[in-house]
Amino acid sequence: MLIKELKARIIKNSRNENAIEVIVNKKYVASAPSGASTGMYEAKAFTKDVKFAVNYLNNFSVHYDFEEFKDLEVLDHLKLIIGGNPTIALQYAVLKAMSKNKVYNFLNPRAKRLPIPLGNCVGGGAHTKIKASDIQEFLLIPEAKTFSQMANINRNVYDMIGKLSKAKHKTDEGAFILNERNEDIFEFLTDLVYEFREHTGYKVNFGVDVAASQFFKKGKYHYNNSKQKVLTREKQIYQINDWIKEYNLGYVEDGLEENDFSGFAKLNKKTLICGDDLITTNLERLKKAVKAKSVNCMIVKPNQIGSLIETKKVVDFAHKHGIKTVISHRSGETMDPMIAHLAVGWNMNYIKTGIFGKEREVKLKELARIEREII
Ligand code: 2PG
Ligand code: MG
């Protein structure tokens, strides 16, 4: 596949920020999302700005016959010139062109597993400007046989939360904002999933993305909306393990700040202990986390590392070492459903997205469509 025509332009993401869209050979369109609670070890989204990247790509040509996934490496050097986001958008578009939009199938013709959807239902932290929970995301973990059933369960529980809480505001990712203490939200969700199970027979667990780096200042964790306000590192470790036990959490992402590999090792591995800002889809950081036994689960966001080739290496290394993988949306999302394809093509365990909002639902719908194709 030759790139005969390459076009780039500025579009708006779900947070109404500028994002980049790339179109290869008129038909293959891709874009990259942006984070708000970005880790300090992430690749730079744009080296200068989006305009510079658009201009660069509109004058860029590459004479190369793209045939296999590994050929995308030819584009990796762009990350340092224009940034991680435009490089990812271009690699997505080229991958779509190589596969004629059948990405998951191109990545793995025998792909047959769908990821479990972790659904962001209640949130706060860096994903809103109004007063909310310190914990960035409360995530539903449904249990059912098919992906479509699991996605429906998440939506039904989400609607129930909306009705019962009468919440008026939502986060950037479409989760309800309940301006209550973390512990009160845990209690609320515990009762709610119990009720849901009584009525429907479906079991739903829940977990959290604490995004703890966001409120880690001068060596301490500073809460606004919690029983305890300021916690030392030791107390935070105790707090997270206590929440896991008390509320039976099935998943905890970034319970500690992004440099605390040894602290993560002390978190209760009976549950999924997931690293996002800790690892930032970076192979060297993942190796460090594996060595220190920090995590049993990790977030994968291609634009954190700014290369699809590097992302694949990280996913392979994680699976080889028994680390569960969670492909994730960003808080500023676009309509590109690519992460649905990567989840299936790379046999990933979970996908983390919002439950509500067109940029989130497009990923869930794509997975439901892929499921119909595969099964
Ligand atoms: C996270 C992400 C996605 P952001 O912290 O996991 O939910 O947030 O895209 O703002 O980094
Ligand atoms: Mg996170």
Side-chain angles (χ1 to χ4, degrees), residues 34-266:
S34 283
S37 65
T38 45
M40 66 193 283
Y41 299 101
E42 290 195 27
K44 252 186 135 186
F46 296 98
T47 50
K48 262 179 106 178
D49 56 23
V50 65
K51 272 196 195 131
F52 173 76
V54 162
N55 200 26
Y56 188 92
L57 287 180
N58 280 331
N59 292 293
F60 177 72
S61 61
V62 50
H63 306 283
Y64 190 87
D65 192 4
F66 289 90
E67 280 185 346
E68 297 174 69
F69 175 80
K70 67 174 172 45
D71 295 339
L72 292 175
E73 194 170 353
V74 171
L75 305 169
D76 268 0
H77 69 285
L78 291 173
K79 169 177 148 181
L80 293 177
I81 307 172
I82 47 180
N85 276 22
T87 308
I88 284 297
L90 175 60
Q91 289 185 332
Y92 279 4
V94 172
L95 187 54
K96 287 179 186 189
M98 275 196 277
S99 65
K100 303 203 166 55
N101 275 335
K102 288 217 167 252
V103 175
Y104 81 88
N105 205 52
F106 180 81
L107 294 173
N108 179 8
R110 288 182 303 279
K112 56 180 184 312
R113 187 166 68 161
L114 276 288
I116 295 171
L118 300 177
N120 183 5
C121 62
V122 174
H127 289 168
T128 176
K129 291 202 171 65
I130 71 171
K131 215 165 165 277
S133 59
D134 304 294
I135 293 181
Q136 183 178 281
E137 299 157 32
F138 293 78
L139 299 152
L140 300 174
I141 315 167
E143 282 185 19
K145 286 215 175 72
T146 68
F147 176 84
S148 309
Q149 280 172 324
M150 290 189 280
N152 281 338
I153 290 170
N154 279 355
R155 182 57 194 246
N156 290 337
V157 175
Y158 175 89
D159 288 340
M160 220 168 127
I161 295 171
K163 252 191 218 143
L164 288 174
S165 72
K166 301 197 176 64
K168 286 193 190 65
H169 302 284
K170 289 179 183 168
T171 66
D172 291 350
E173 299 185 346
F176 293 112
I177 294 174
L178 311 181
N179 183 14
E180 287 174 39
R181 293 191 311 182
N182 300 310
E183 291 83 359
D184 296 331
I185 300 177
F186 283 138
E187 299 281 349
F188 172 71
L189 289 178
T190 304
D191 292 349
L192 195 116
V193 296
Y194 178 82
E195 280 295 311
F196 186 79
R197 190 176 184 176
E198 289 288 293
H199 281 95
T200 65
Y202 285 112
K203 186 167 178 218
V204 183
N205 294 318
F206 60 87
V208 285
D209 179 1
V210 182
S213 293
Q214 294 294 317
F215 54 91
F216 182 73
K217 307 243 149 67
K218 296 195 185 132
K220 295 212 168 104
Y221 295 89
H222 297 262
Y223 289 86
N224 284 314
N225 242 343
S226 220
K227 268 190 187 163
Q228 313 227 37
K229 297 287 182 231
V230 184
L231 296 185
T232 60
R233 170 184 184 255
E234 280 63 37
K235 290 221 167 103
Q236 174 75 359
I237 292 171
Y238 182 85
Q239 164 93 95
I240 297 291
N241 282 332
D242 193 50
W243 279 345
I244 289 173
K245 223 169 115 206
E246 179 83 17
Y247 304 109
N248 203 16
L249 303 182
Y251 173 93
V252 178
E253 181 182 328
D254 284 352
L256 298 169
E257 56 95 11
E258 60 206 321
N259 292 298
D260 198 355
F261 286 90
S262 61
F264 266 78
K266 295 185 182 145

